[in-house]
């Protein structure tokens, strides 16, 4: 019968792909999403398009969808009153680094107050198992590479978004330390990219993409003219920024593995795991890989560095392999093939 999993932010990029893996693993899902950052259903009562397509991909149904903000405590309490939730996976958050610099209060309200409200409602409902969508951003400027889970966190974070992730991790650690019934897994994502192989769901950023791969994909499909490469003078093999890109379906399977760990006899407290590949890819290497996958030219121009960027961010994922029995399996070519399949089939996203 599987677990009944409440997924906040389930209509979003990582959330929708994780729903596919959860349903295919035999779990049932209740989705809470305010659709501030994802397409909503055309008619009242209609599922957001990403969720409808998750049902088509899996041939399963979503137990319930509630278009609710985590800041609406009463509505959230109602959701827990309606469903006997076993565990929560918490994706819902604003996640644009640049936007967080312009709107810090919106980020603290949505990401921190929203998480606090969720935890209070969970506590009252007696639901004390949580997988939290964290980010490698909590490592700040890497002091060593690849960064493992022992790397200091909270030092050198350059933006409010990263601070909100670090603060929420601290809240969860303190909660699990004071109430032994709480079980928490903190998943630190590196750079999620790609799409489900069907091309039916994928990354659908609002407006001009902040992140590299959706930007490249929109250049390839003709929506944008050229890619600006932020910095060609970093201390990296080709001078451009290096990141640990991970296929979103690998990331999704990491969440299912985290659920199994959370419910195992020996689990206790709050434990962090990196979800990445351990391999670094530069901007120019990504352009080459996407060109090969899409057979499209990607015009680009190297310009100045972007404020707040680090030269290299690559994760060690040995702990997830050892303790979750999980590792990423899809390579860079597959990431680009699947991202292109989604973009070319859906030039305007879910619109
Ligand atoms: C990757 C590389 C850029 C765009 C951010 C968040 C992180 C996570 C993932 C939420 C860098 C370069 C990018 C462009 C470019 N988000 N680039 N031209 O900054 O590593 O991570 O997104 O969890 O928390 O910090 O990802 O894709 O923006 O940048 O040259 O138009 O591509 O300089 O080297 P980033 P990114």
């Amino acid at each position: 019968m599987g677990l009944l999993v409440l997924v906040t932010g389930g209509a979003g990029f990582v959330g929708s792909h994780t729903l596919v893996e959860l349903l295919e693993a035999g779990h049932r899902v209740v989705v809470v999403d305010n659709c501030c950052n994802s397409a909503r259903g055309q008619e009242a009562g209609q599922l957001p398009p990403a969720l409808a397509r998750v049902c088509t991909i899996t041939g399963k149904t979503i137990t319930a969808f509630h278009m609710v903000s985590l800041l609406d405590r009463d509505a959230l309490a109602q959701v827990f009153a309606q469903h006997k939730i076993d565990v929560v996976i918490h994706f819902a958050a604003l996640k644009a680094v640049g936007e967080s610099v312009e709107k810090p209060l919106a980020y603290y309200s949505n990401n921190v107050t929203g998480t606090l409200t969720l935890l209070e409602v969970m506590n009252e409902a007696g639901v004390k198992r949580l997988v939290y969508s964290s980010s490698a951003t909590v490592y700040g400027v890497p002091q060593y590479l690849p960064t493992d889970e022992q790397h200091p966190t909270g030092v050198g974070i350059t933006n409010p978004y990263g601070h909100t992730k670090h603060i929420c991790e601290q809240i969860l650690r303190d909660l699990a330390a004071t109430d032994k019934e709480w079980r928490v897994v903190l998943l630190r994502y590196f750079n999620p990219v790609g799409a489900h192989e069907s091309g039916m769901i994928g990354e659908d950023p609002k407006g001009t993409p902040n992140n590299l791969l959706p930007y490249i994909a929109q250049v390839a499909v003709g929506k944008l003219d050229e890619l600006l490469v932020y910095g060609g003078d970093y201390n990296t093999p080709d001078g451009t920024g290096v990141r640990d890109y991970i296929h979103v379906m690998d990331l999704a399977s990491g969440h299912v593995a985290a659920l199994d760990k959370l419910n195992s006899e020996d689990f206790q407290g709050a434990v962090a795991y990196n979800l990445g590949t351990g391999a670094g890819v530069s901007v120019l290497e990504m352009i080459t890989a996407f060109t090969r996958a899409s057979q499209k030219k990607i015009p680009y121009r190297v310009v100045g560095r972007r404020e707040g960027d680090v030269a290299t961010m690559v994760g060690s994922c040995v702990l997830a392999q050892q303790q979750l029995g999980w590792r990423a399996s899809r390579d860079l070519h597959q990431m680009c093939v699947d991202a292109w399949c989604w973009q070319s089939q859906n030039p305007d996203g879910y619109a």
Side-chain angles (χ1 to χ4, degrees):
M1 187 64 168
L3 299 170
L4 183 58
V5 185
L6 186 140
V7 181
T8 76
F13 174 39
V14 181
S16 56
H17 287 78
T18 302
L19 290 177
V20 170
E21 290 292 283
L22 288 169
L23 290 168
E24 290 184 347
H27 298 299
R28 291 162 293 126
V29 295
V30 169
V31 177
V32 165
D33 200 311
N34 67 358
C35 293
C36 75
N37 216 9
S38 46
R40 55 186 64 191
Q42 296 298 325
E43 310 288 330
Q46 221 178 18
L47 281 178
L51 301 187
R53 294 185 187 193
V54 164
C55 296
T56 304
I57 289 169
T58 59
K60 312 256 184 179
T61 57
I62 284 170
T63 300
F65 167 67
H66 300 275
M67 191 148 95
V68 162
S69 161
L70 297 188
L71 297 172
D72 184 344
R73 187 194 181 104
D74 292 342
L76 197 55
Q78 268 303 310
V79 174
F80 280 83
Q82 285 173 38
H83 307 284
K84 194 171 175 347
I85 303 297
D86 295 306
V87 61
V88 173
I89 302 183
H90 178 30
F91 292 107
L94 296 176
K95 62 153 202 164
V97 168
E99 184 187 53
S100 77
V101 176
E102 292 156 22
K103 303 175 182 171
L105 287 183
Y107 272 69
Y108 279 99
S109 170
N110 197 81
N111 295 3
V112 180
T113 308
T115 298
L116 276 173
T117 307
L118 172 66
L119 295 176
E120 288 165 352
V121 169
M122 286 176 68
N123 222 20
E124 283 158 18
V127 179
K128 300 186 173 184
R129 298 188 176 191
L130 178 87
V131 176
Y132 177 63
S133 167
S134 189
S135 168
T137 310
V138 302
Y139 292 123
V141 181
Q143 293 169 17
Y144 58 83
L145 291 165
T147 52
D148 60 16
E149 291 83 353
Q150 307 313 312
H151 186 287
T153 59
V155 177
I157 294 177
T158 59
N159 56 81
Y161 161 76
H163 286 301
T164 66
K165 287 296 177 181
H166 182 245
I167 289 166
C168 287
E169 281 202 6
Q170 194 53 58
I171 291 168
L172 288 162
R173 287 185 187 285
D174 288 343
L175 184 55
T178 53
D179 178 342
K180 297 306 175 201
E181 285 183 29
W182 272 92
R183 295 181 171 200
V184 176
V185 168
L186 308 167
L187 295 180
R188 292 173 181 162
Y189 309 164
F190 283 74
N191 289 59
V193 294
H196 185 266
E197 60 191 18
S198 64
M200 292 179 68
I201 56 176
E203 192 166 8
D204 182 23
K206 288 199 169 176
T208 304
N210 296 295
N211 296 136
L212 180 66
L213 203 57
Y215 199 105
I216 289 177
Q218 290 195 16
V219 170
V221 82
K223 285 189 76 172
L224 296 169
D225 296 333
E226 71 171 350
L227 170 73
L228 300 183
V229 176
Y230 296 139
D233 59 352
Y234 284 108
N235 181 19
T236 62
D238 63 19
T240 63
V242 171
R243 295 292 184 274
D244 183 339
Y245 297 97
I246 175 171
H247 196 294
V248 66
M249 289 309 292
D250 281 330
L251 199 59
S253 64
H255 287 73
V256 176
L259 278 195
D260 296 342
K261 182 68 179 176
L262 204 57
N263 289 302
S264 62
E265 283 310 306
D266 62 344
F267 189 89
Q268 61 177 3
V271 182
Y273 296 99
N274 286 345
L275 295 187
T277 67
V281 172
S282 76
V283 177
L284 295 183
E285 287 170 331
M286 182 61 86
I287 293 170
T288 302
F290 202 91
T291 302
R292 176 177 165 236
S294 64
Q295 295 299 298
K296 296 286 185 182
K297 270 190 66 59
I298 309 292
Y300 70 88
R301 186 156 44 93
V302 180
V303 295
R305 296 180 177 188
R306 180 173 64 177
E307 188 69 29
D309 273 352
V310 297
T312 301
M313 177 60 96
V314 175
S316 160
C317 305
V318 171
L319 198 63
Q321 195 175 328
Q322 288 170 344
Q323 296 191 7
L324 304 182
W326 170 92
R327 68 180 309 166
S329 62
R330 296 164 177 89
D331 64 10
L332 180 62
H333 181 63
Q334 198 60 53
M335 294 177 208
C336 293
V337 164
D338 291 340
W340 176 238
C341 180
W342 153 255
Q343 186 71 64
S344 55
Q345 288 181 21
N346 305 271
D348 296 319
Y350 290 110

